[in-house]
Amino acid sequence: MYGKAFAPEYQGALTSLSVNSSLTDVLAAGTEQLRAAERAGAREEAARSGLAVAEAHRRLGQVADADRAWKASYRTAREAGDTAAMAWALWSGGTLARQRGALPLAWRLLRLAADLGERAGDVVVRGYSLAGMAETGRIQGDYEAVTALHEQLLAEARRRGEARHTVWALEGIAQIHRNTGSYDTAYAMFEEAAGIAARADDRRGHAWALRGLADILSVRDGDTEGALELLSEAEATCREMNLAGALAYNHKMRGNVLYRAGRYEEARDVYTQALAEFEGMSEPRGRTLARLGLVKSLARLGRDRAETSADLDELARTLEGMGLRHGREMVLRAYQELGLAPAAGAGR
């Protein structure tokens, strides 16, 4: 039913790149092709090569370089009158904005990308942009608003036999089920995503699915060793492909698993590592969630209760400012779990 996964963001002369290509290789090839296109005055090719450069920088956690690259790709595409390439550049910019925690900006850029993609007749960039909007809403915790969009995109991806997009949609819906306590449904969907990704040779999608399965094994079954084994398998993929963001989230999940198992010293160390990784790529959502895990671990190791409470109050305000509903709920649970009372207005 599903063919081999492909990477539509690698365009023009870079279509031979695989979805599993090392990001350092993608960056090198994209930069070389971009320079050649600029020398030749080939604007459309420059815009599409620039897209690959932007995406490589983004996934490597090089935020400032990614920001410059997607904007340059958009300007070049606009000068060339290439509407589809403009849409792809906006998709990259919107995805970067979400990664940086600028969720309203992400929504606006992705909406523009979807509209331009529809105008250009490029169903793939339209689908990816709508998917990005759905993911942005899911991260904000607005599940009711985006579940239908996730399911629509899943149906479209299944109909086209597009493995990579099917995997993404399954993982998004699974995460909603996990966050709302439907663990069995979430596990089944992560498991299906992992299977499709493996058969389609989508290693990135497979690594994210393994992370989801590890989470369920830990929270539902208390299977710490099974969860850690899956995370180790996913981590190997992240390292081989230089997936900086996915690796940081993998480490944060490892901290979650260790914390749930009462292995607080190990959890503290892993959360500290994840926090440094998120800070290195200017990823505020991941940074805040890693800090939450670290604060809880330190509290379990005997840290002063007043200091813990002050940190939780600060995290509640930060998550409120970011509009992360599920994150705020996590902070409220942390207060209860640690026997602390939130400051007036914190976590609301």
Side-chain angles (χ1 to χ4, degrees):
M1 179 180 178
Y2 297 100
K4 187 174 181 180
F6 68 100
E9 65 270 33
Y10 302 153
Q11 302 174 7
L14 301 173
T15 54
S16 60
L17 290 172
S18 163
V19 68
N20 298 320
S21 294
S22 164
L23 292 174
T24 51
D25 292 342
V26 172
L27 182 57
T31 300
E32 180 181 359
Q33 184 58 32
L34 173 59
R35 289 171 179 165
E38 288 174 338
R39 287 194 299 270
R43 288 181 175 174
E44 289 188 13
E45 181 62 34
R48 293 176 182 273
S49 300
L51 172 66
V53 171
E55 281 300 286
H57 279 308
R58 181 182 68 79
R59 291 165 178 163
L60 287 166
Q62 299 162 357
V63 172
D65 290 328
D67 192 52
R68 285 190 292 268
W70 84 259
K71 289 175 179 175
S73 175
Y74 177 80
R75 287 193 300 269
T76 304
R78 185 176 58 189
E79 291 167 1
D82 189 336
T83 305
M86 291 167 63
W88 276 109
L90 287 169
W91 165 78
S92 180
T95 306
L96 177 64
R98 184 176 65 243
Q99 181 174 312
R100 298 172 70 176
L103 301 181
L105 175 61
W107 188 271
R108 289 197 301 273
L109 291 175
L110 291 164
R111 165 54 70 188
L112 287 170
D115 291 345
L116 282 178
E118 185 169 10
R119 189 188 310 170
D122 189 326
V123 297
V124 179
V125 71
R126 173 189 169 274
Y128 271 57
S129 300
L130 290 174
M133 292 170 62
E135 185 168 351
T136 302
R138 176 177 60 77
I139 287 171
Q140 290 175 301
D142 196 1
Y143 302 144
E144 184 177 350
V146 299
T147 296
L149 181 54
H150 272 84
E151 291 174 346
Q152 171 197 330
L153 294 166
L154 174 60
E156 290 179 5
R158 287 192 191 279
R159 188 164 56 249
R160 294 199 309 267
E162 216 277 37
R164 189 179 176 208
H165 215 149
T166 300
V167 167
W168 171 88
L170 281 168
E171 290 171 350
I173 299 170
Q175 192 64 49
I176 292 173
H177 283 298
R178 182 262 179 262
N179 290 349
T180 53
S182 299
Y183 297 134
D184 292 346
T185 302
Y187 189 90
M189 298 188 82
F190 278 127
E191 192 171 43
E192 182 183 0
I196 293 172
R199 291 190 295 274
D201 195 26
D202 175 7
R203 299 185 66 200
R204 182 185 296 116
H206 189 251
W208 280 107
L210 292 182
R211 177 184 175 275
L213 289 171
D215 187 25
I216 304 298
L217 285 182
S218 168
V219 73
R220 182 190 67 180
D221 304 335
D223 183 359
T224 302
E225 295 310 317
L228 292 175
E229 183 177 341
L230 289 176
L231 289 171
S232 293
E233 181 182 348
E235 178 172 352
T237 295
C238 293
R239 291 191 181 281
E240 288 169 15
M241 295 180 64
N242 298 305
L243 300 173
L247 181 61
Y249 274 104
N250 180 289
H251 288 155
K252 187 191 75 68
M253 182 58 69
R254 181 175 289 271
N256 293 354
V257 170
L258 292 167
Y259 180 87
R260 291 173 192 143
R263 294 160 60 172
Y264 301 126
E265 291 185 359
E266 293 174 81
R268 175 199 61 198
D269 293 344
V270 177
Y271 281 131
T272 299
Q273 178 183 6
L275 178 58
E277 291 167 338
F278 285 124
E279 288 179 339
M281 66 182 73
S282 301
E283 216 284 28
R285 173 173 166 262
R287 181 177 64 225
T288 303
L289 296 177
R291 274 196 64 206
L292 175 59
L294 180 58
V295 168
K296 290 168 58 179
S297 299
L298 291 172
R300 292 295 192 181
L301 292 170
R303 185 167 180 246
D304 179 78
R305 290 171 61 83
E307 292 179 355
T308 298
S309 185
D311 278 349
L312 291 177
D313 292 344
E314 180 189 349
L315 286 168
R317 289 191 296 270
T318 299
L319 290 164
E320 175 73 29
M322 294 172 66
L324 298 180
R325 184 184 307 173
H326 181 64
R328 295 198 304 271
E329 293 171 355
M330 291 172 65
V331 174
L332 287 174
R333 287 198 297 271
Y335 284 117
Q336 297 167 357
E337 180 186 325
L338 299 173
L340 299 169
R348 293 183 182 177

